[in-house]
Amino acid sequence: MKTIFFPDQTLNDDTYVATIGFFDGVHQGHQFLMAQLRKEAAERGMRSMAITFESHPRQVVQGGWKPELLTDLHEKLRLLKTTGIDTVVVLRFNRQMAAFSARDFMQLMYERMGVRVLLTGYDNRFGHDRAEGFEDYQCYGRELGIEVLCGDALAMGKQNVSSSRVRQLLKEGNVEEANYCLGRPYSLGGQVVHGEQIGRTIGFPTANLQPDDDKLIPMDGVYAVMVDIDDEIRKQGIMNIGTRPTFNGTNRTLETNLLEPIGNIYGHRLNIHFIARLRSEQQFPSADALALQIQKDKEQAEQILSNYHF
């Protein structure tokens, strides 16, 4: 897959069937769209292209707005590559680009990206005038020489799969349903930093995670997780997200206990894959009562994870 960062790099080497979107999560709905994209391109003897954004457009047009991302750019590009499309154009979105009308942007796609067919969802919007829609894009396309097609959405259950649906599921702690929509476990990465070492005092040392900026953190609670250490070792574990109410904590922490400890991992990078939610975080009457529950959590997690492969 060729990756182009626009406008630093341009391409005029071929003609393309393209789609445009932020594609946060590259969930099964996005994967379904990419399959349609490949099919349309193959039938026309063209190449397939996804146009996406280096950062969320709202960060440019609304200063100080913080996204809750399902995937950072590196993850997104890696996942888009697995869909089999030919090219990804990453827009270095700025205020000048944000001022483009949909027609201006379609002209840019035609002249500088070789787009001859645009595949878009019926309710997808681009350009500064959000009142414009599919019929407008078709009209502009006829003027410019771009055929505009409507892609099919993917329904799973009673709703279409969408990034907002996945985010809501994660905020509710429903990682199993979120993973079903994503087609893989939701992942959250970060660096192991020093914490208060409370877990060590009750026999369950934990790795305190400083998560990557802008990534969505699931609802507080205890989760069965798979843990990649420096992208080299994969271990089973449990993660607690919350404020540690048994010890009168106030700050939200993300603490992982490996089912098989491997020694000091301070400073290492972890990538946490959420498999199942075990329970809500709760306050226990004593540290011993908490330790007893953690042991039960580990046993439950081991049972879940021993049969899980991805």
Side-chain angles (χ1 to χ4, degrees):
M1 183 184 81
K2 181 188 293 186
T3 303
I4 299 294
F5 286 81
F6 185 90
D8 302 4
Q9 302 167 292
T10 58
L11 72 170
N12 52 12
D13 57 343
D14 218 325
T15 54
Y16 290 87
V17 179
T19 189
I20 182 170
F22 191 62
F23 305 125
D24 190 22
V26 194
H27 52 63
Q28 293 210 57
H30 294 141
Q31 295 164 37
F32 185 65
L33 177 63
M34 297 306 159
Q36 294 175 67
L37 186 71
R38 293 198 320 271
K39 180 175 180 291
E40 293 289 346
E43 289 176 352
R44 288 167 168 77
M46 298 182 183
R47 298 176 70 78
S48 54
M49 173 193 291
I51 303 170
T52 190
F53 301 82
E54 184 174 35
S55 56
H56 198 289
R58 283 184 64 183
Q59 290 178 281
V60 174
V61 298
Q62 290 181 241
W65 181 80
K66 295 283 288 182
E68 293 179 301
L69 297 178
L70 303 174
T71 46
D72 60 25
L73 181 61
H74 174 77
E75 289 176 283
K76 181 161 63 175
L77 293 177
R78 176 177 58 80
L79 290 165
L80 285 171
K81 185 176 182 179
T82 68
T83 68
I85 60 174
D86 296 309
T87 302
V88 172
V89 174
V90 182
L91 301 177
R92 296 194 186 278
F93 197 72
N94 54 32
R95 289 196 171 274
Q96 179 182 3
M97 204 174 290
F100 282 6
S101 67
R103 191 188 188 287
D104 290 339
F105 195 78
M106 289 178 67
Q107 185 169 354
L108 186 74
M109 287 192 281
Y110 181 89
E111 293 177 352
R112 300 185 63 185
M113 300 179 196
V115 175
R116 296 298 179 266
V117 180
L118 179 64
L119 183 66
T120 183
Y122 186 84
D123 59 353
N124 188 35
R125 298 288 186 271
F126 59 89
H128 71 80
D129 186 353
R130 310 306 280 184
E132 293 178 315
F134 184 75
E135 285 84 2
D136 299 295
Y137 306 152
Q138 284 189 310
C139 179
Y140 303 147
R142 285 190 290 270
E143 296 172 5
L144 295 166
I146 298 177
E147 183 181 1
V148 180
L149 303 175
C150 183
D152 296 323
L154 176 64
M156 299 180 74
K158 296 181 179 179
Q159 294 177 273
N160 291 339
V161 181
S162 67
S163 301
S164 58
R165 179 182 174 189
V166 175
R167 277 191 285 272
Q168 186 58 40
L169 289 166
L170 291 170
K171 289 179 179 181
E172 294 169 356
N174 190 350
V175 296
E176 293 94 336
E177 184 70 17
N179 292 348
Y180 178 59
C181 292
L182 288 168
R184 65 182 188 282
Y186 177 66
S187 299
L188 178 66
Q191 206 81 8
V192 179
V193 297
H194 287 277
E196 298 179 19
Q197 300 188 341
I198 292 175
R200 190 177 302 276
T201 66
I202 59 173
F204 296 98
T206 60
N208 194 49
L209 191 74
Q210 179 62 50
D212 294 337
D213 289 342
D214 297 335
K215 284 296 292 284
L216 186 147
I217 299 172
M219 181 183 186
D220 288 2
V222 180
Y223 296 86
V225 298
M226 300 295 287
V227 184
D228 291 341
I229 304 169
D230 296 328
D231 290 327
E232 296 175 356
I233 304 170
R234 177 166 290 177
K235 292 290 185 179
Q236 299 175 354
I238 57 173
M239 169 170 266
N240 183 81
I241 301 175
T243 59
R244 298 171 297 176
T246 302
F247 300 98
N248 299 315
T250 55
N251 295 325
R252 194 185 196 200
T253 61
L254 291 78
E255 298 177 295
T256 302
N257 176 262
L258 300 178
L259 301 190
E260 296 179 10
I262 62 169
N264 186 354
I265 55 173
Y266 286 120
H268 290 260
R269 179 172 177 81
L270 302 185
N271 202 35
I272 310 296
H273 306 283
F274 292 83
I275 309 303
R277 189 169 193 265
L278 303 180
R279 61 177 176 86
S280 301
E281 188 183 43
Q282 60 191 98
Q283 184 171 12
F284 291 88
S286 66
D288 288 342
L290 172 59
L292 184 63
Q293 180 60 54
I294 293 175
Q295 183 58 43
K296 292 178 181 178
D297 295 337
K298 293 185 70 170
E299 291 169 1
Q300 184 183 358
E302 187 171 21
Q303 185 176 15
I304 293 169
L305 298 172
S306 62
N307 298 314
Y308 194 92
H309 303 282
F310 74 99

